[in-house]
């Protein structure tokens, strides 16, 4: 969308950042699902624990709550999500080539 190349105000910028975050989150969910399908039960457990820890870390680093409400730094959330998707994609590539290495899921 060309409007995102030059947003008129902060709300337009927020809309555009949110669109990118939603796409990154969709990609993360897809690679998680594909990787999970390749893992044995131990690997699935490690992956789930790692993902929950990652979510907690992302939330801690990229959002803040106080008496006035909350905010989310969408740049942080998007960058963190893209980085996590890449890590999981690397693990999926290993599964497809040399075999799943559960030790690398942590």
């Amino acid at each position: 969308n060309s409007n995102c190349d030059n947003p008129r105000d902060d709300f337009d910028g927020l809309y555009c950042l949110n669109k990118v975050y939603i796409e990154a989150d969709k990609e993360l969910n897809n690679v998680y699902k594909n990787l999970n399908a390749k893992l044995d039960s131990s690997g699935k457990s490690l992956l789930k624990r790692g993902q929950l820890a990652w979510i907690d870390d992302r939330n801690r680093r990229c959002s803040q709550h106080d008496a006035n409400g909350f905010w989310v730094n969408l740049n942080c959330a998007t960058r963190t999500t893209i980085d996590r998707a890449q890590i999981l994609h690397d693990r999926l590539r290993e599964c497809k080539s040399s075999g799943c290495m559960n030790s690398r899921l942590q």
Side-chain angles (χ1 to χ4, degrees), residues 5-20:
D5 192 31
N6 193 13
R8 292 176 297 180
D9 55 36
D10 288 343
F11 288 93
D12 282 352
L14 177 64
Y15 172 77
C16 294
L17 284 172
N18 193 51
K19 288 173 65 173
V20 175

Side-chain angles (χ1 to χ4, degrees), residues 6-38:
N6 193 13
R8 292 176 297 180
D9 55 36
D10 288 343
F11 288 93
D12 282 352
L14 177 64
Y15 172 77
C16 294
L17 284 172
N18 193 51
K19 288 173 65 173
V20 175
Y21 173 76
I22 288 170
E23 186 61 29
D25 189 57
K26 186 186 332 177
E27 291 171 6
L28 175 61
N29 288 330
N30 285 338
V31 72
Y32 179 95
K33 182 179 73 173
N34 290 335
L35 176 58
N36 193 59
K38 298 256 183 229

Side-chain angles (χ1 to χ4, degrees), residues 4 23 35 37 41 48-49 51 60 66-67 74 81 86 92 94 100 105:
C4 288
E23 186 61 29
L35 176 58
S41 61
K48 182 177 181 178
R49 282 200 312 265
Q51 192 71 359
R60 183 181 46 75
D66 62 29
L74 276 177
T81 301
Q86 184 60 54
L92 180 60
E94 289 167 356
C100 298
L105 294 171

